[in-house]
Amino acid sequence: NIFTTLFPDTHAGGATELPLQPRRREKENPIPASEQAAAPAMASGSSRPQILCVSFNQDNSMFSVGTKEGFKIFDARTGRLCNDNKLGGLNVVELWFATNLIAMVGTGEQPSRSPRRLCLFNTITGASKKDLNFRSTILAVRFSRTRLIVVLQDKTFIYDLNSTRILEEIDTVHNPKGLCAFAPNSEWCYLAIPASTSKGSALVYKASEPELICQIDAHESPLAAMAFSSNGMYLATASEKGTMIRVYIVAQATKSHSFRRGAYPSTIYSLSFGPCIDRPDVLAATSSSGSLHMFFLDAARNGRNQTNKLLGSIIPGSKAISDALDPANHHVIHNIAPAETKSCLAVHSVEYSQNSSKFPDVR
């Protein structure tokens, strides 16, 4: 397949068509296929460069790893190394779907790799197509087909990707981790950013317009992680405490699910819904405990409906306390990573078992 897009030519005034081709494998990977997917997690050893960032592309088919030497791009299903480029230290490497366009931000160890400069880079030609400079360090970058999101410590920018024209400059609360959630495949390209430094509140924007649509007050403690479902209809949140994970219906700014991860605090590193057309079936989370948690939304929804019917016949106003009685419907896999090791999670597909209609199989 050949991907094409209109993208500004830095040497001319107009837009030119840049062919974006699938990345080719630049060299053989000596690591067996069964071990390749685990290789990035082990790359902190002395024989391998230190990992500075990891992220999946918009359909979770590929992921990138930024190191002190450059970047690597892997096929998420097989772990196959697709691209290995030694450009110097990179704090941000963001893929644009399964094409040769990436956004990267350096560590500042080289003059051309300033942490305040965003480089839109063609991995096939090895050339920069556009550089965007900012007044402070770039903490996060997100892509959709038509939008480019750049997150700084106190500002968030929404760009038109084709023209790289600023559509919105948002003054934000202090956001030193560059926390944000983005739904690139949704019609409105929903964007969520923190709304408070003292509570777990999020502002949700339509990046397509752009415009502010709602504020979601999710937790008493500041936010630590957020993620949209693939269609942008649901937003999952976790606070710095990390004991509860909540799911909200974005259009109504109302809570649909509340899950208890555990009784003791833990830092939630990553959240990911399973792919969905309407309502997601699965929400997965990784934390500083080194465990993987999978929450089954359909099972919780069905269980809550039955619980509410029972409570409604006994206790007036029982909806106010139904959160505490939501079924725990979740599965835990312990020790998938060493404790306190940061992790980046994506659910690529969900399959239902023939032996059970209640819980899907997640592999």
Short mmCIF file of all heavy atoms in Angstrom, two decimals, residues 179-223:
data_model
loop_
_atom_site.label_atom_id
_atom_site.label_comp_id
_atom_site.label_asym_id
_atom_site.label_seq_id
_atom_site.Cartn_x
_atom_site.Cartn_y
_atom_site.Cartn_z
N LEU A 179 0.76 15.53 30.31
CA LEU A 179 -0.35 14.58 30.30
C LEU A 179 -1.45 15.04 29.34
O LEU A 179 -1.88 16.19 29.36
CB LEU A 179 -0.93 14.44 31.71
CG LEU A 179 -2.10 13.47 31.89
CD1 LEU A 179 -1.69 12.05 31.55
CD2 LEU A 179 -2.64 13.55 33.32
N CYS A 180 -1.90 14.13 28.49
CA CYS A 180 -3.01 14.40 27.58
C CYS A 180 -3.56 13.08 27.08
O CYS A 180 -2.93 12.03 27.20
CB CYS A 180 -2.56 15.26 26.40
SG CYS A 180 -1.43 14.44 25.26
N ALA A 181 -4.77 13.14 26.53
CA ALA A 181 -5.37 11.99 25.84
C ALA A 181 -5.91 12.50 24.52
O ALA A 181 -6.43 13.62 24.44
CB ALA A 181 -6.48 11.36 26.68
N PHE A 182 -5.81 11.67 23.48
CA PHE A 182 -6.21 12.10 22.14
C PHE A 182 -6.90 10.93 21.45
O PHE A 182 -6.47 9.78 21.57
CB PHE A 182 -4.99 12.56 21.35
CG PHE A 182 -5.30 13.26 20.06
CD1 PHE A 182 -6.26 14.25 20.01
CD2 PHE A 182 -4.62 12.93 18.89
CE1 PHE A 182 -6.54 14.91 18.81
CE2 PHE A 182 -4.89 13.59 17.70
CZ PHE A 182 -5.86 14.58 17.67
N ALA A 183 -7.99 11.24 20.74
CA ALA A 183 -8.73 10.22 19.99
C ALA A 183 -8.60 10.52 18.51
O ALA A 183 -9.48 11.13 17.90
CB ALA A 183 -10.20 10.22 20.41
N PRO A 184 -7.49 10.10 17.88
CA PRO A 184 -7.20 10.50 16.49
C PRO A 184 -8.13 9.91 15.46
O PRO A 184 -8.27 10.44 14.36
CB PRO A 184 -5.77 10.01 16.28
CG PRO A 184 -5.64 8.84 17.21
CD PRO A 184 -6.44 9.21 18.42
N ASN A 185 -8.78 8.78 15.80
CA ASN A 185 -9.62 8.11 14.81
C ASN A 185 -11.10 8.48 14.94
O ASN A 185 -11.93 7.98 14.20
CB ASN A 185 -9.47 6.59 14.94
CG ASN A 185 -8.04 6.14 14.68
OD1 ASN A 185 -7.42 6.57 13.72
ND2 ASN A 185 -7.50 5.30 15.55
N SER A 186 -11.42 9.35 15.91
CA SER A 186 -12.81 9.75 16.09
C SER A 186 -13.14 10.90 15.15
O SER A 186 -12.26 11.61 14.64
CB SER A 186 -13.05 10.19 17.54
OG SER A 186 -12.29 11.35 17.84
N GLU A 187 -14.41 11.12 14.92
CA GLU A 187 -14.86 12.16 13.98
C GLU A 187 -14.40 13.54 14.44
O GLU A 187 -13.99 14.37 13.62
CB GLU A 187 -16.38 12.13 13.86
CG GLU A 187 -16.94 13.19 12.93
CD GLU A 187 -18.46 13.18 12.87
OE1 GLU A 187 -19.07 12.33 13.55
OE2 GLU A 187 -19.02 14.01 12.14
N TRP A 188 -14.45 13.78 15.76
CA TRP A 188 -14.15 15.11 16.27
C TRP A 188 -12.73 15.23 16.80
O TRP A 188 -12.34 16.31 17.25
CB TRP A 188 -15.13 15.47 17.38
CG TRP A 188 -16.56 15.44 16.94
CD1 TRP A 188 -17.52 14.54 17.30
CD2 TRP A 188 -17.19 16.34 16.02
NE1 TRP A 188 -18.71 14.81 16.68
CE2 TRP A 188 -18.54 15.93 15.88
CE3 TRP A 188 -16.75 17.46 15.32
CZ2 TRP A 188 -19.44 16.58 15.07
CZ3 TRP A 188 -17.66 18.13 14.50
CH2 TRP A 188 -18.98 17.69 14.39
N CYS A 189 -11.95 14.18 16.78
CA CYS A 189 -10.57 14.21 17.29
C CYS A 189 -10.53 14.78 18.71
O CYS A 189 -9.90 15.82 18.97
CB CYS A 189 -9.66 15.02 16.37
SG CYS A 189 -9.41 14.31 14.75
N TYR A 190 -11.19 14.12 19.63
CA TYR A 190 -11.27 14.62 21.00
C TYR A 190 -9.88 14.69 21.64
O TYR A 190 -9.05 13.80 21.48
CB TYR A 190 -12.18 13.73 21.85
CG TYR A 190 -13.65 13.89 21.55
CD1 TYR A 190 -14.40 12.81 21.11
CD2 TYR A 190 -14.28 15.12 21.69
CE1 TYR A 190 -15.75 12.94 20.83
CE2 TYR A 190 -15.63 15.27 21.41
CZ TYR A 190 -16.36 14.18 20.99
OH TYR A 190 -17.70 14.31 20.70
N LEU A 191 -9.67 15.77 22.39
CA LEU A 191 -8.43 16.01 23.12
C LEU A 191 -8.78 16.30 24.57
O LEU A 191 -9.66 17.13 24.85
CB LEU A 191 -7.67 17.19 22.52
CG LEU A 191 -6.50 17.76 23.33
CD1 LEU A 191 -5.33 16.79 23.35
CD2 LEU A 191 -6.06 19.12 22.75
N ALA A 192 -8.11 15.63 25.51
CA ALA A 192 -8.31 15.88 26.94
C ALA A 192 -6.99 16.30 27.58
O ALA A 192 -5.96 15.68 27.34
CB ALA A 192 -8.86 14.64 27.64
N ILE A 193 -7.04 17.35 28.39
CA ILE A 193 -5.87 17.84 29.12
C ILE A 193 -6.28 18.14 30.54
O ILE A 193 -7.47 18.37 30.82
CB ILE A 193 -5.27 19.10 28.44
CG1 ILE A 193 -6.35 20.16 28.24
CG2 ILE A 193 -4.60 18.75 27.12
CD1 ILE A 193 -5.85 21.45 27.63
N PRO A 194 -5.34 18.14 31.49
CA PRO A 194 -5.71 18.41 32.89
C PRO A 194 -6.32 19.79 33.06
O PRO A 194 -5.92 20.76 32.41
CB PRO A 194 -4.37 18.30 33.63
CG PRO A 194 -3.50 17.47 32.74
CD PRO A 194 -3.92 17.81 31.34
N ALA A 195 -7.30 19.88 33.98
CA ALA A 195 -7.97 21.15 34.26
C ALA A 195 -7.60 21.70 35.62
O ALA A 195 -7.96 22.83 35.96
CB ALA A 195 -9.49 20.97 34.19
N SER A 196 -6.87 20.91 36.42
CA SER A 196 -6.53 21.33 37.78
C SER A 196 -5.23 20.67 38.21
O SER A 196 -4.91 19.56 37.77
CB SER A 196 -7.66 20.95 38.75
OG SER A 196 -7.29 21.16 40.09
N THR A 197 -4.49 21.35 39.09
CA THR A 197 -3.28 20.76 39.68
C THR A 197 -3.56 20.15 41.04
O THR A 197 -2.68 19.51 41.62
CB THR A 197 -2.19 21.82 39.82
OG1 THR A 197 -2.68 22.91 40.63
CG2 THR A 197 -1.76 22.35 38.46
N SER A 198 -4.76 20.35 41.57
CA SER A 198 -5.10 19.84 42.90
C SER A 198 -6.15 18.74 42.87
O SER A 198 -6.25 17.94 43.81
CB SER A 198 -5.59 20.99 43.79
OG SER A 198 -6.73 21.61 43.23
N LYS A 199 -6.94 18.65 41.78
CA LYS A 199 -7.97 17.63 41.66
C LYS A 199 -7.86 16.93 40.31
O LYS A 199 -7.22 17.44 39.39
CB LYS A 199 -9.37 18.24 41.82
CG LYS A 199 -9.67 18.73 43.23
CD LYS A 199 -11.12 19.15 43.36
CE LYS A 199 -11.44 19.54 44.80
NZ LYS A 199 -12.87 19.93 44.96
N GLY A 200 -8.51 15.80 40.21
CA GLY A 200 -8.46 15.01 38.97
C GLY A 200 -9.53 15.42 37.99
O GLY A 200 -10.48 14.67 37.71
N SER A 201 -9.39 16.61 37.42
CA SER A 201 -10.36 17.13 36.45
C SER A 201 -9.70 17.25 35.08
O SER A 201 -8.52 17.57 34.98
CB SER A 201 -10.89 18.50 36.89
OG SER A 201 -11.52 18.41 38.16
N ALA A 202 -10.51 17.06 34.05
CA ALA A 202 -10.00 17.13 32.67
C ALA A 202 -10.89 18.02 31.82
O ALA A 202 -12.12 18.02 31.97
CB ALA A 202 -9.94 15.74 32.05
N LEU A 203 -10.27 18.81 30.94
CA LEU A 203 -10.98 19.58 29.94
C LEU A 203 -10.97 18.79 28.63
O LEU A 203 -9.92 18.29 28.22
CB LEU A 203 -10.33 20.94 29.72
CG LEU A 203 -10.33 21.90 30.90
CD1 LEU A 203 -9.51 23.14 30.56
CD2 LEU A 203 -11.75 22.29 31.29
N VAL A 204 -12.12 18.68 27.98
CA VAL A 204 -12.23 17.92 26.74
C VAL A 204 -12.55 18.90 25.60
O VAL A 204 -13.51 19.66 25.68
CB VAL A 204 -13.30 16.83 26.82
CG1 VAL A 204 -13.40 16.07 25.49
CG2 VAL A 204 -12.99 15.86 27.96
N TYR A 205 -11.72 18.85 24.55
CA TYR A 205 -11.87 19.71 23.39
C TYR A 205 -12.17 18.88 22.15
O TYR A 205 -11.76 17.72 22.05
CB TYR A 205 -10.57 20.50 23.11
CG TYR A 205 -10.26 21.58 24.10
CD1 TYR A 205 -9.63 21.28 25.31
CD2 TYR A 205 -10.56 22.92 23.83
CE1 TYR A 205 -9.33 22.28 26.23
CE2 TYR A 205 -10.25 23.92 24.73
CZ TYR A 205 -9.64 23.60 25.93
OH TYR A 205 -9.34 24.59 26.83
N LYS A 206 -12.85 19.51 21.19
CA LYS A 206 -12.90 18.99 19.83
C LYS A 206 -11.73 19.61 19.08
O LYS A 206 -11.72 20.81 18.82
CB LYS A 206 -14.20 19.37 19.14
CG LYS A 206 -15.44 18.64 19.61
CD LYS A 206 -16.64 19.13 18.81
CE LYS A 206 -17.92 18.46 19.27
NZ LYS A 206 -19.10 19.00 18.53
N ALA A 207 -10.75 18.81 18.75
CA ALA A 207 -9.60 19.35 18.01
C ALA A 207 -9.96 19.63 16.56
O ALA A 207 -9.28 20.39 15.88
CB ALA A 207 -8.42 18.38 18.08
N SER A 208 -11.04 19.04 16.08
CA SER A 208 -11.46 19.26 14.70
C SER A 208 -12.00 20.66 14.48
O SER A 208 -11.89 21.22 13.39
CB SER A 208 -12.53 18.23 14.31
OG SER A 208 -13.63 18.31 15.21
N GLU A 209 -12.58 21.29 15.51
CA GLU A 209 -13.22 22.59 15.34
C GLU A 209 -12.24 23.77 15.40
O GLU A 209 -12.26 24.57 14.47
CB GLU A 209 -14.36 22.75 16.37
CG GLU A 209 -15.46 21.74 16.19
CD GLU A 209 -16.22 21.91 14.85
OE1 GLU A 209 -16.21 23.01 14.29
OE2 GLU A 209 -16.77 20.92 14.37
N PRO A 210 -11.42 23.97 16.43
CA PRO A 210 -11.48 23.35 17.76
C PRO A 210 -12.35 24.16 18.72
O PRO A 210 -12.51 25.37 18.55
CB PRO A 210 -10.02 23.39 18.20
CG PRO A 210 -9.43 24.55 17.50
CD PRO A 210 -10.21 24.78 16.23
N GLU A 211 -12.88 23.46 19.76
CA GLU A 211 -13.68 24.12 20.77
C GLU A 211 -13.75 23.27 22.03
O GLU A 211 -13.61 22.04 21.97
CB GLU A 211 -15.10 24.38 20.25
CG GLU A 211 -15.89 23.12 19.94
CD GLU A 211 -17.32 23.43 19.51
OE1 GLU A 211 -17.87 24.45 19.98
OE2 GLU A 211 -17.88 22.65 18.73
N LEU A 212 -13.94 23.93 23.18
CA LEU A 212 -14.09 23.24 24.46
C LEU A 212 -15.52 22.72 24.55
O LEU A 212 -16.47 23.46 24.31
CB LEU A 212 -13.80 24.20 25.61
CG LEU A 212 -14.02 23.67 27.03
CD1 LEU A 212 -13.05 22.55 27.35
CD2 LEU A 212 -13.88 24.80 28.04
N ILE A 213 -15.66 21.43 24.93
CA ILE A 213 -17.02 20.88 25.00
C ILE A 213 -17.46 20.56 26.42
O ILE A 213 -18.64 20.63 26.73
CB ILE A 213 -17.18 19.64 24.09
CG1 ILE A 213 -16.22 18.53 24.48
CG2 ILE A 213 -17.01 20.02 22.64
CD1 ILE A 213 -16.52 17.23 23.78
N CYS A 214 -16.52 20.20 27.32
CA CYS A 214 -16.95 19.88 28.68
C CYS A 214 -15.75 19.79 29.62
O CYS A 214 -14.60 19.73 29.18
CB CYS A 214 -17.73 18.57 28.72
SG CYS A 214 -16.76 17.08 28.39
N GLN A 215 -16.06 19.78 30.90
CA GLN A 215 -15.07 19.47 31.94
C GLN A 215 -15.56 18.26 32.70
O GLN A 215 -16.73 18.18 33.08
CB GLN A 215 -14.89 20.65 32.90
CG GLN A 215 -13.92 20.33 34.04
CD GLN A 215 -13.58 21.55 34.89
OE1 GLN A 215 -13.40 22.65 34.38
NE2 GLN A 215 -13.46 21.37 36.20
N ILE A 216 -14.67 17.30 32.90
CA ILE A 216 -15.00 16.07 33.63
C ILE A 216 -14.24 16.07 34.94
O ILE A 216 -13.01 16.13 34.96
CB ILE A 216 -14.65 14.82 32.79
CG1 ILE A 216 -15.57 14.75 31.56
CG2 ILE A 216 -14.77 13.55 33.62
CD1 ILE A 216 -15.24 13.61 30.61
N ASP A 217 -14.97 16.04 36.05
CA ASP A 217 -14.37 15.99 37.38
C ASP A 217 -14.37 14.54 37.85
O ASP A 217 -15.39 14.02 38.29
CB ASP A 217 -15.15 16.88 38.35
CG ASP A 217 -15.16 18.34 37.90
OD1 ASP A 217 -14.09 18.83 37.51
OD2 ASP A 217 -16.24 18.96 37.94
N ALA A 218 -13.23 13.89 37.73
CA ALA A 218 -13.18 12.44 37.89
C ALA A 218 -12.68 11.97 39.26
O ALA A 218 -13.14 10.96 39.77
CB ALA A 218 -12.29 11.84 36.80
N HIS A 219 -11.69 12.68 39.83
CA HIS A 219 -11.04 12.20 41.05
C HIS A 219 -10.76 13.36 42.00
O HIS A 219 -10.74 14.52 41.61
CB HIS A 219 -9.70 11.51 40.71
CG HIS A 219 -9.82 10.39 39.72
ND1 HIS A 219 -10.03 9.09 40.08
CD2 HIS A 219 -9.75 10.40 38.36
CE1 HIS A 219 -10.09 8.33 38.99
NE2 HIS A 219 -9.92 9.10 37.93
N GLU A 220 -10.52 13.00 43.26
CA GLU A 220 -10.13 14.00 44.26
C GLU A 220 -8.65 14.34 44.15
O GLU A 220 -8.24 15.45 44.50
CB GLU A 220 -10.43 13.49 45.68
CG GLU A 220 -11.92 13.39 45.98
CD GLU A 220 -12.62 14.75 45.89
OE1 GLU A 220 -12.03 15.75 46.36
OE2 GLU A 220 -13.73 14.80 45.34
N SER A 221 -7.83 13.39 43.67
CA SER A 221 -6.39 13.62 43.51
C SER A 221 -6.09 13.98 42.06
O SER A 221 -6.86 13.64 41.16
CB SER A 221 -5.61 12.37 43.90
OG SER A 221 -5.88 12.00 45.24
N PRO A 222 -4.95 14.65 41.79
CA PRO A 222 -4.59 15.02 40.41
C PRO A 222 -4.51 13.81 39.49
O PRO A 222 -4.21 12.70 39.91
CB PRO A 222 -3.22 15.69 40.58
CG PRO A 222 -3.22 16.20 41.99
CD PRO A 222 -3.99 15.19 42.77
N LEU A 223 -4.74 14.06 38.22
CA LEU A 223 -4.72 12.98 37.22
C LEU A 223 -3.31 12.45 36.99
O LEU A 223 -2.34 13.20 37.00
CB LEU A 223 -5.28 13.49 35.89
CG LEU A 223 -6.76 13.86 35.87
CD1 LEU A 223 -7.11 14.56 34.57
CD2 LEU A 223 -7.64 12.62 36.06
#
